[in-house]
Amino acid sequence: VYREVSAAGEPDILNNLTLFQNTPNPFSGETSIGFTIPETCDAQLRIVDVSGRVVAELHKTWQAGYHVELFDLTGHSGVLICELKTPLGVRTKKMIQVSE
C-alpha cells in the first residue's frame, strides 16, 4: 500500500536520478522513500524481499523533481530492497523492516 506524500519540484535538489535512503530505517509498518527524477518519465518504484518476491509496487509517470512516497509494509520483516527503475537508469537501496 502506498500514497504520495509530496511531489513538488525543488530547484536546490540535485538534477540527477537519485534514490534516497528510506526513513526511518529500520522501520516498522510505514516508511517514506524519496527520490529525484531529472526529467518527466514513466518509472517503477518497487519493494522486493531477499528472495526476489515483489511486496509492493508503484508504476506511473512522475514529473521532473523531488518526490516522496509512503509505503505501508506491515506484515513483512527483514531485509527488503527498494528499486527505482526508469528509462534513465536503475537505483537500489536496502531497507530493514523490524517485526511489530
Side-chain angles (χ1 to χ4, degrees):
V1 177
Y2 60 86
R3 65 181 162 87
E4 189 166 358
V5 177
S6 70
E10 297 186 17
D12 58 334
I13 299 292
L14 295 175
N15 289 325
N16 294 321
L17 178 61
T18 306
L19 176 61
F20 299 100
Q21 187 64 55
N22 65 301
T23 57
N25 191 41
F27 67 98
S28 176
E30 292 186 344
T31 190
S32 295
I33 300 170
F35 58 95
T36 301
I37 297 178
E39 61 187 57
T40 299
C41 65
D42 288 337
Q44 181 181 39
L45 186 62
R46 66 184 197 159
I47 313 297
V48 298
D49 63 17
V50 292
S51 67
R53 184 175 60 98
V54 176
V55 297
E57 185 172 33
L58 178 58
H59 184 262
K60 68 182 199 179
T61 301
W62 277 283
Q63 300 297 314
Y66 177 72
H67 305 271
V68 176
E69 297 290 340
L70 181 65
F71 284 84
D72 183 350
L73 299 170
T74 302
H76 302 281
S77 63
V79 175
L80 299 171
I81 309 293
C82 178
E83 177 186 73
L84 174 63
K85 185 176 182 180
T86 76
L88 308 169
V90 177
R91 302 290 184 269
T92 60
K93 294 282 185 189
K94 288 184 183 177
M95 313 184 311
I96 298 176
Q97 163 86 327
V98 294
S99 298
E100 297 177 2

